[in-house]
Amino acid sequence: VGGKTVSRTVEVEKELFISPVSNQLNTTLKPQERRISIYSSVLFEADVTGKASFALPADLARFGVTLDKLEWQRAEVRVGTSDARGLTKGGKLIANGQALSVEPGRGPASTGGQGFFAFVGWNGTEPLNIDYSFALRGSRSLSLVPRGGQTKWAITSSWPNPSFGGSFLPEERQIDNQGFKAAYTVDKLALGQAPVATEDMGVPVIGDDVSPQYASIDIPVARNT
């Protein structure tokens, strides 16, 4: 302009996504058989409780993020489900011993934004420990998408005929006439995703499968009686 060089500074706002360092959850799967005419179908309600721990990586600057640019007053904890209509009994989130106010929506991209979230007071200097619980009603199958450092999933049910599938199979399983128990452990190296990112990376891609089921437990949809 007028022979002078003009420089402009444009500020761009992005979200920072932080995966848990560890996530341990327990699920109790309660099946309910329903009969229609000569057919029966099996529905279930899954009671989920868990603990997740978050921490900023020591080399955060290598991801193009500096602490002075983070707006901690807008920090959120997000929990995703593939179909929010199945959520029952609400959801609970407790951060470092303090109960949070839970709101619907804002689930991760892997669930199409479905789920629930809460604003959380955190400044990143200390680990953030989240206790969570919710109940989920569904049918056919129950799947878990692991994220972050290490995911441990323990599930028990009175259903005696489960089918295990997906990209990760249980390390331990026990099946008898009284039901089944299964335990999974998934490490971050198997997921191929960075612990932090400036965009929601979606579900991890495992091998050549662009839509893997990860850890999946199936129950019969229907059968003749």
Side-chain angles (χ1 to χ4, degrees):
V1 180
K4 296 181 179 180
T5 301
V6 178
S7 61
R8 295 180 178 178
T9 300
V10 179
E11 292 189 0
V12 178
E13 182 178 280
K14 291 185 177 181
E15 290 185 304
L16 179 67
F17 293 86
I18 304 173
S19 297
V21 176
S22 64
N23 185 19
Q24 298 183 3
L25 62 156
N26 297 281
T27 301
T28 301
L29 191 65
K30 303 174 183 177
Q32 181 180 16
E33 191 168 7
R34 295 186 178 181
R35 296 177 180 274
I36 301 177
S37 185
I38 62 172
Y39 298 96
S40 67
S41 61
V42 180
L43 306 179
F44 66 79
E45 183 168 290
D47 289 329
V48 181
T49 61
K51 296 178 178 290
S53 180
F54 296 83
L56 290 180
D59 59 348
L60 180 64
R62 294 187 179 185
F63 296 91
V65 179
T66 56
L67 286 174
D68 61 302
K69 297 296 183 180
L70 296 178
E71 298 184 8
W72 292 109
Q73 73 277 10
R74 298 172 62 183
E76 299 173 0
V77 177
R78 298 178 179 180
V79 178
T81 61
S82 60
D83 190 343
R85 295 175 298 178
L87 285 170
T88 62
K89 301 180 182 178
K92 293 183 179 180
L93 294 171
I94 299 175
N96 290 341
Q98 181 178 1
L100 304 180
S101 177
V102 176
E103 301 291 344
R106 290 186 181 268
S110 58
T111 61
Q114 298 191 72
F116 57 92
F117 79 102
F119 291 104
V120 59
W122 187 44
N123 60 14
T125 59
E126 300 292 337
L128 174 65
N129 299 308
I130 300 293
D131 292 270
Y132 59 90
S133 64
F134 60 92
L136 186 67
R137 184 178 294 121
S139 63
R140 302 187 182 185
S141 68
L142 178 67
S143 299
L144 171 71
V145 178
R147 300 295 293 267
Q150 186 181 76
T151 301
K152 288 183 173 290
W153 184 28
I155 181 168
T156 61
S157 177
S158 60
W159 184 252
N161 301 304
S163 175
F164 302 99
S167 299
F168 300 104
L169 296 177
E171 295 179 312
E172 301 176 11
R173 70 180 76 179
Q174 177 183 331
I175 306 172
D176 55 34
N177 292 334
Q178 304 302 313
F180 75 89
K181 297 180 180 180
Y184 297 79
T185 299
V186 181
D187 189 79
K188 63 181 180 181
L189 296 181
L191 303 178
Q193 288 188 337
V196 299
T198 54
E199 62 180 12
D200 192 335
M201 295 177 291
V203 297
V205 176
I206 308 299
D208 297 326
D209 192 348
V210 296
S211 58
Q213 291 181 299
Y214 302 101
S216 175
I217 298 173
D218 300 325
I219 59 176
V221 177
R223 66 176 187 269
N224 289 334
T225 58

